[in-house]
Amino acid sequence: MRFLLLILLLLGCDDRATVTVGAASSLAEVMPEIAAAYEVETGVRVQLVFASSGKIVQQQLAGAGYDVTVLADDSLDGTPVAGNRLVLVGVGSLDELDDIGRVAIGAPDTVPAGKYARQALQSAGVWDDLDGRLVYGANVRQVLAYVQRGEVDAALVYATDAEGVPIDPALHDPIDYRATYFTDTGDRFAGFLHKPTAGLAFEAHGFVDRAALLRNAGVSDLPGPSVAEQRGSEPAGAR
């Protein structure tokens, strides 16, 4: 028996519970910090998978089996845990977009940042003027890379990704990251995202601590019902 245990240790086997988290690409810097804190507190290993929110949604609906998702997309319901802001990079105002060449945003149908950017451009009355000059990225980081490499003249990205001119939040829907759990292990991790430890990490990386707003309003710091409970059916990819 001792020999078997020694072999398992030498092989690096780890029998700890694991929670698999599908997260928006824009959370790539803050989520590892939160995951590390969760692992210390619970002993549960966190496996992080980053992609655009739209892609994570598609993967989960196709049976990816994430225990919990944290996305800037409300199609999986969930409870807000953090917020963000849009900024304009490359020029000083939306009005100046008429006088430049190409402008990059996330693909509006699959990238929430692109959806919010389209809303802002439409509300500002400049969307139609950009016809033929828009370049779409698969996620916010790709959009930012376009402008950093000089392939476009301006871009709309999240404030947590770059410094830029703040976009009036009244021009678009609120940018909320929502945690949606699909399993019991996902439920526990989602609950951790509503705690001050996670909130401080979000704020340190420039996000808005939405969970704190809920707590200050007297709302429980636990997440709401899971997707399965809300819809009365088994969640996609549940394990």
Side-chain angles (χ1 to χ4, degrees), residues 24 26-28 30-31 34 53 70-73 79-87 112-113 116 140 157-161 167 169 172-179 193-194 198-215:
S26 50
L27 297 172
V30 65
M31 285 302 295
I34 293 175
S53 292
V70 190
L71 310 173
D73 185 299
T79 308
V81 294
N84 214 328
R85 306 172 183 84
L86 276 184
V87 296
Y116 299 125
V140 176
V157 297
Y158 288 137
T160 52
D161 290 304
I167 299 296
H172 56 79
D173 292 339
I175 302 174
D176 284 334
Y177 291 82
R178 294 175 176 268
L193 293 176
H194 287 76
L200 290 173
F202 280 128
E203 290 184 334
H205 287 267
F207 294 90
V208 177
D209 181 4
R210 290 281 194 242
L213 300 179
L214 295 177
R215 290 195 299 273

Side-chain angles (χ1 to χ4, degrees), residues 88 92-99 124 126:
L88 178 63
S93 70
L94 292 177
D95 293 336
E96 294 180 31
L97 296 180
D98 287 338
D99 303 321
V126 298

